Amino acid sequence: MVFSPLRPAGNLLMLEIIYHDEYMVAVNKPAGMLVHRSWLDSKETVFVMQTLRDQIGQYVYPIHRLDRPTSGILLFALSSDVARLLSAQFENHQLEKVYHAVVRGYLTEEQTIDYPLLEELDKIADKHASREPVLQECVTHCKPIATVECAIAIGRYETSRFSLVELKPETGRKHQLRRHMSHLRHPIIGDSKHGDLRQNRGVNTHFSVSRLMLHASLLNLNHPITKENISLVATWDTQWLSLIEQFGWSDTVAKLGINVINSSS
């Protein structure tokens, strides 16, 4: 069962529900929203888990996470038994996750990034950890979709180049996609931790886009009960659509085979 997007009603925040049945629910997480209460921001009062619980009137079990600045598909189970079944699919790599990102520079070759990353321990949650971070296997498949050169000098060059890419992570390490793209010297636009701060400011100034340009667009999985294959798609927000239009990529995106552009946007 696929639901139409839900919009804010008055002052009440309504998450966009993209799938909901008696076993699980998936939402399109907005950029900037924490998945659950966290020491990362003790003053924050709005979270996906609590908002969704109140919205559908029942407890939800998180299956995976998205970084706070990342938007897109977020899946929850509606019982602990279903949570175990869905978690097993993630752990055993039995599903497909597709992200899209806008990065600095021209990225023109399809490639697999097989580059281990040092485990990132949380400054607060792992504050008292006695062990040292370990090197973790990390694999990401990267496919270029479109490029553009703009007559705007953001860095030391007279023009600025950007690429739209599709990213498929095989592993699920913390900040994996952001760190892998930084490793390639094609940091994701809007990444304040692993990116190019000058590029971020320039894109904000010239194109009015301030968010991290990373979105979890597609999740292919098997239904935990019916075993039916399900493809979940999360559409892009207004900042994404604005940048795609300004860069002249609308026609290319329309041919992706993934309906990431909401016709009502």
Side-chain angles (χ1 to χ4, degrees), residues 227-239:
K227 309 305 179 184
E228 174 189 6
N229 181 259
I230 296 176
S231 292
L232 305 178
V233 176
T235 54
W236 295 347
D237 67 13
T238 54
Q239 287 199 52

Side-chain angles (χ1 to χ4, degrees), residues 176-218:
Q176 174 177 321
L177 300 182
R178 296 161 65 177
R179 296 170 72 189
H180 266 176
M181 297 316 296
S182 180
H183 168 68
L184 291 184
R185 301 294 187 265
H186 292 288
I188 299 175
I189 299 303
D191 191 341
S192 60
K193 184 172 183 180
H194 302 286
D196 182 333
L197 299 183
R198 182 165 53 181
Q199 285 284 320
N200 297 345
R201 289 192 295 268
V203 170
N204 189 11
T205 299
H206 295 287
F207 302 104
S208 299
V209 170
S210 57
R211 59 155 294 174
L212 173 70
M213 293 303 294
L214 177 63
H215 182 81
S217 301
L218 175 69

Side-chain angles (χ1 to χ4, degrees), residues 163-180:
S163 298
L164 174 65
V165 297
E166 175 189 277
L167 301 172
K168 293 183 179 181
E170 266 193 32
T171 49
R173 310 305 185 190
K174 185 176 181 180
H175 295 171
Q176 174 177 321
L177 300 182
R178 296 161 65 177
R179 296 170 72 189
H180 266 176

